[in-house]
Amino acid sequence: MIRIKAGAPRRVRPRTSSRAPAHPGLPARARPGARRPSREDGRGPLLRALALGLPTVLGATAITYRLVSPTAPQNGLGARVVTGAVFFAAGTGLVLHVRRGLLRELRQARRVAGAAQSALLRPPPPRIDGLDIAAVQLSADPGAAIGGDLYEAVGTEHGVRVLMGDVRGHGIAAVETAAAVLGSFREAVHDEAELPGVLRRLDRALARHLRRRSGDEHAVAEEFVTVLLLEIHPDGEVRALNCGHPWPYLLDATRVEQLAGAECLPPLGPFPLPPDLSPVHCGHLLPGQALFLHTDGAEDARDAGGRFFPLAAALTGALREHPVPVPQAVLRFVLAALLRHTGDAPPDDVALLVLHNDRRPQHPPTAGGRDRDGSVTGPRPATSNAQPTTSL
């Protein structure tokens, strides 16, 4: 299932009550303690009565016919046909009634699951502190809207902080681990003044979650989460901490380059973090430029011939059609190319996130890509692990 989370914010109708809802992220019918509308209150007893009475009436009708009707005990062909028709009608009615009840419960379960998944991996705001943001989530599990991939972007007094992560595996267990990491991140970004403090909070939250979920030390040791933390300051400076996650791409007009960085830290979970954590300075994200974050499910996706998905080439094609890297347009192009490549069946979860700097330039850059103070503008491209930027 695919969820594209982009676009303008919805208009909100004025509330008649001044009291704020206790659970703004959930629909009214899914909030704990919420009361159903009056129409549902009136129909509830009637539906319960029908659910109990209809099978009883059909069964009683069939038994009464068998005992009372003069034709039921007869062995003639006509009597047998009538008897079979009566019992067939009663059985069909029971089956249809049970089927309707099961479908009703399934629809209700899907609504509750959808609300819960939306609250867990909620859509990012379309704009944070001058950055246009859009995200897309594609789950490898056809029965789920989200998987083990996670992302979040939050505006804080320390800058815009962004999380991109990938939990080992997919399914319910991966969703639970993603929920633990996301919950810790949403609190830590406001409490921790430095980016290493945020990463240590995530590491501790993951360790607690794994200890609660399994008492087997070997099972816990096999679980891990790759994490990429970014901090974008108002002047465009980008700092990063990377724990085994793919580095993002820089999009600038027709240029696609992968950010450079020091050697990645190990993923969270198997190994403890080093005592000294220093964020990597990745230069500046200039106005008009964009960062493309992704999980390894995008680059590792293969076609029928076993060829990996050319992500850098897809980004180049997106910029050829849209020289201004508008997040929604870039995501639609890359996602369509990914689905064509995999035959609409990617084997792993995929999450994509685009941040476009729409701020006004504070210092107009001079020739050679340098600011007035001589510092290099734009994030540093990778030299060893960058993928070619050939066209699609």
Side-chain angles (χ1 to χ4, degrees):
M1 184 179 294
I2 304 171
R3 301 182 65 198
I4 298 180
K5 303 173 180 179
R10 299 179 179 177
R11 296 181 179 178
V12 180
R13 296 181 179 179
R15 301 181 61 88
T16 57
S17 175
S18 59
R19 183 178 180 181
H23 301 270
L26 297 176
R29 294 176 63 181
R31 294 172 190 156
R35 182 176 176 83
R36 292 177 177 270
S38 58
R39 184 176 62 180
E40 295 291 337
D41 292 340
R43 292 174 55 186
L46 177 60
L47 292 177
R48 285 193 295 269
L50 289 177
L52 295 175
L54 184 59
T56 304
V57 171
L58 292 176
T61 301
I63 294 174
T64 302
Y65 169 78
R66 183 66 179 175
L67 297 176
V68 177
S69 176
T71 61
Q74 298 179 9
N75 295 324
L77 179 61
R80 292 180 179 180
V81 170
V82 174
T83 302
V86 171
F87 278 90
F88 178 78
T92 302
L94 287 172
V95 171
L96 293 178
H97 176 73
V98 172
R99 179 178 179 272
R100 283 195 297 269
L102 292 176
L103 289 177
R104 184 167 57 250
E105 293 181 2
L106 178 60
R107 286 193 294 268
Q108 178 66 18
R110 286 181 173 177
R111 284 195 294 267
V112 174
Q117 292 177 117
S118 299
L120 170 61
L121 197 63
R122 58 197 180 203
R127 186 177 178 86
I128 300 178
D129 193 19
L131 299 178
D132 295 330
I133 303 176
V136 62
Q137 165 75 17
L138 191 151
S139 176
D141 186 355
I146 62 176
D149 294 349
L150 55 123
Y151 56 80
E152 184 65 286
V154 181
T156 70
E157 59 180 341
H158 314 293
V160 178
R161 288 177 167 175
V162 184
L163 168 67
M164 196 72 174
D166 187 358
V167 180
R168 173 183 175 271
H170 51 82
I172 299 300
V175 172
E176 293 176 351
T177 304
V181 176
L182 279 171
S184 176
F185 174 79
R186 288 164 180 165
E187 292 184 0
V189 289
H190 296 286
D191 298 339
E192 301 293 336
E194 300 295 334
L195 205 58
V198 178
L199 184 60
R200 294 192 186 279
R201 291 272 292 270
L202 300 185
D203 185 56
R204 292 195 295 268
L206 177 62
R208 289 193 300 269
H209 167 72
L210 294 179
R211 284 195 299 267
R212 286 195 304 266
R213 202 184 70 182
S214 174
D216 186 358
E217 295 296 336
H218 297 287
V220 171
E222 295 176 356
E223 298 294 331
F224 63 87
V225 181
T226 65
V227 168
L228 173 65
L229 288 179
L230 295 182
E231 186 177 82
I232 306 175
H233 293 179
D235 61 354
E237 182 185 4
V238 180
R239 296 182 180 181
L241 282 173
N242 193 337
C243 294
H245 198 82
W247 286 98
Y249 284 87
L250 169 68
L251 311 181
D252 183 4
T254 58
R255 182 165 58 103
V256 176
E257 296 175 334
Q258 199 168 24
L259 290 191
E263 185 177 354
C264 294
L265 298 169
L268 299 182
F271 307 101
L273 292 174
D276 183 21
L277 289 177
S278 299
V280 178
H281 294 265
C282 300
H284 288 71
L285 181 67
L286 300 180
Q289 295 180 340
L291 287 177
F292 182 90
L293 287 70
H294 63 286
T295 55
D296 59 2
E299 290 181 321
D300 294 346
R302 303 193 185 197
D303 61 5
R307 294 181 294 270
F308 290 103
F309 176 63
L311 179 57
L315 291 172
T316 302
L319 292 180
R320 187 181 298 112
E321 290 194 5
H322 308 280
V324 178
V326 179
Q328 293 88 343
V330 172
L331 287 183
R332 291 192 185 99
F333 188 95
V334 173
L335 183 61
L338 177 62
L339 293 178
R340 287 196 304 269
H341 184 82
T342 59
D344 294 335
D348 196 4
D349 300 330
V350 176
L352 309 175
L353 177 68
V354 181
L355 303 103
H356 175 249
N357 189 350
D358 197 30
R359 302 163 176 162
R360 294 184 178 181
Q362 298 179 354
H363 300 287
T366 60
R370 294 182 177 273
D371 287 333
R372 290 180 176 179
D373 57 0
S375 61
V376 179
T377 60
R380 296 190 297 272
T383 56
S384 57
N385 60 347
Q387 299 187 8
T389 58
T390 55
S391 59
L392 285 173

